[in-house]
Amino acid sequence: MRDEELERPSVHEYWFVKLSKMTSLTKRGALIVFEGCDRSGKTTQCKKLVENLRNKGITTEFLCFPDRSTAIGKVIDSYLKKEEELPDRTIHLTFAANIWENEQKIKSALQNGVTLVIDRYAYSNVAYSAAKEAMDFKWCTLPATGLPKPDVVFFLDMNMEAMEKRGGFGSERYETTNFQRSVYNNFKKLIDKSWKVLNADQKKDVLHEEILTNALSITENVKNSEIGYLW
Ligand code: FDM
Ligand code: MG
C-alpha cells in the first residue's frame, strides 16, 4: 500500500470530522473565572459550581491560579510563604508566566467543549501587584495581553467591614487588612461588561443559585462564539 493511501481518511472518518464541526461535538466550553479578595469564598463557590455543572451534564474542569504544582508555581509558593524574596516586577512576571504555561491547556479544553471554572486569573495579578508602592497599574496589565478572555468573571464582592468580621487571614504574604483594601480598590478598576459583581456577604446557597443561573446561560451562549483575548 502506498503512503498517501494510508493517510487518506476513510469515508467514515471524513464524515465524522465534517459532522463534528457542524454539531454540538465541537461547540466550545465557557471560560468562567472567580475573582475577589482573600476569604471572599471563591474556592467554595468554584467547587460547588463544578459539581453542579457536571450534574447538569456539562463537561467541566477546575483550575486554580497560582498553580503551585509546576516549577514556576513552586517559586510562587515559596514567595507567598515568605521563604523567598523577589523584586515586585519579577514576581509579577512569574505569576503571569504561571498562567501562560497553562494557556494551551486552557485553549484546547475550551475548543474541545470543556467548560473551565478558574479560581483567580490575570485580574488577581494586576489587583495584587498594583497594590504595591511604585507598581504602575497599566504596566501590571501588560504581561496578560493575549491570554484567553473569560466569558464571565464572578467577582465576590465583600466590603471591608464584612471582611474584617470574617477575619481568619492566614500568614501568607498579602494577607493583611490594609493590603486587601488596596487590592479591592484595584479589582474595582478592572470591572468591565464581562464581570458580574456579586454580594459575597450573603448565605452561600443563595449566592450559589445566582452564580449557577448565570453560569448556565453563559455556557449556552458561548457555544458558537470565538474565544476572546485580553484585554
Ligand atoms: N496572586 C494570585 C497574585 O499576586 N497574582 C496572581 O496572578 C494570582 C493568580 O497570590 F494573595 C496572589 C493572590 C493571593 C495569593 O492566592 C495566593 P490564593 O488564592 O489565596 O491561594
Ligand atoms: Mg489566600
Side-chain angles (χ1 to χ4, degrees):
M1 203 181 278
R2 285 175 297 130
D3 279 2
E4 55 275 28
E5 272 177 294
L6 272 173
E7 279 166 20
R8 195 185 308 147
S10 69
V11 174
H12 285 112
E13 280 165 344
Y14 172 82
W15 281 106
F16 178 79
V17 172
K18 200 167 173 76
L19 286 170
S20 296
K21 285 188 177 149
M22 291 160 60
T23 65
S24 61
L25 287 176
T26 50
K27 284 185 174 161
R28 80 163 170 95
L31 182 52
I32 299 173
V33 164
F34 281 78
E35 287 287 8
C37 291
D38 282 86
R39 308 278 305 135
S40 57
K42 292 182 301 303
T43 311
T44 309
Q45 291 296 336
C46 279
K47 298 259 155 89
K48 263 175 177 285
L49 184 59
V50 171
E51 195 186 318
N52 281 318
L53 291 177
R54 284 180 181 163
N55 287 342
K56 303 246 179 227
I58 298 166
T59 313
T60 308
E61 294 297 334
F62 172 70
L63 289 177
C64 158
F65 290 112
D67 168 8
R68 302 189 197 214
S69 70
T70 66
I72 291 172
K74 291 203 166 59
V75 174
I76 293 172
D77 186 56
S78 67
Y79 174 81
L80 288 171
K81 291 185 173 136
K82 301 176 191 161
E83 295 161 359
E84 194 171 343
E85 290 303 320
L86 286 164
D88 294 339
R89 285 186 180 77
T90 309
I91 189 62
H92 183 75
L93 296 172
T94 309
F95 272 110
N98 188 232
I99 303 181
W100 275 107
E101 66 180 334
N102 281 283
E103 181 226 11
Q104 278 311 318
K105 184 162 123 190
I106 294 172
K107 277 169 80 172
S108 58
L110 299 177
Q111 277 153 358
N112 288 318
V114 178
T115 283
L116 294 177
V117 172
I118 311 188
D119 188 352
R120 295 194 187 277
Y121 198 56
Y123 309 97
S124 273
N125 208 21
V126 180
Y128 281 74
S129 288
K132 297 171 179 175
E133 226 176 292
M135 286 290 278
D136 178 68
F137 190 91
K138 171 82 179 150
W139 186 91
C140 289
T141 65
L142 299 178
T145 307
L147 282 172
K149 182 174 164 59
D151 296 300
V152 65
V153 178
F154 291 122
F155 179 63
L156 300 195
D157 187 6
M158 210 171 38
N159 66 40
M160 279 300 132
E161 288 69 44
M163 186 169 295
E164 274 166 30
K165 255 197 255 156
R166 268 191 202 198
F169 284 139
S171 56
E172 286 205 332
R173 212 181 282 265
Y174 306 147
E175 297 186 320
T176 66
T177 311
N178 270 349
F179 195 82
Q180 297 287 323
R181 205 181 290 277
S182 322
V183 169
Y184 180 80
N185 292 333
N186 286 335
F187 271 131
K188 290 271 163 125
K189 293 186 204 160
L190 290 163
I191 296 175
D192 67 23
K193 62 181 190 328
S194 68
W195 287 48
K196 294 256 177 296
V197 178
L198 302 165
N199 173 15
D201 194 29
Q202 59 176 321
K203 283 220 170 74
K204 280 181 200 162
D205 290 348
V206 179
L207 172 60
H208 192 70
E209 275 306 308
E210 197 178 346
I211 291 171
L212 183 59
T213 308
N214 272 294
L216 286 171
S217 81
I218 296 282
T219 54
E220 203 47 48
N221 293 343
V222 301
K223 279 185 175 167
N224 295 308
S225 70
E226 298 284 319
I227 301 171
Y229 293 92
L230 290 177
W231 286 96

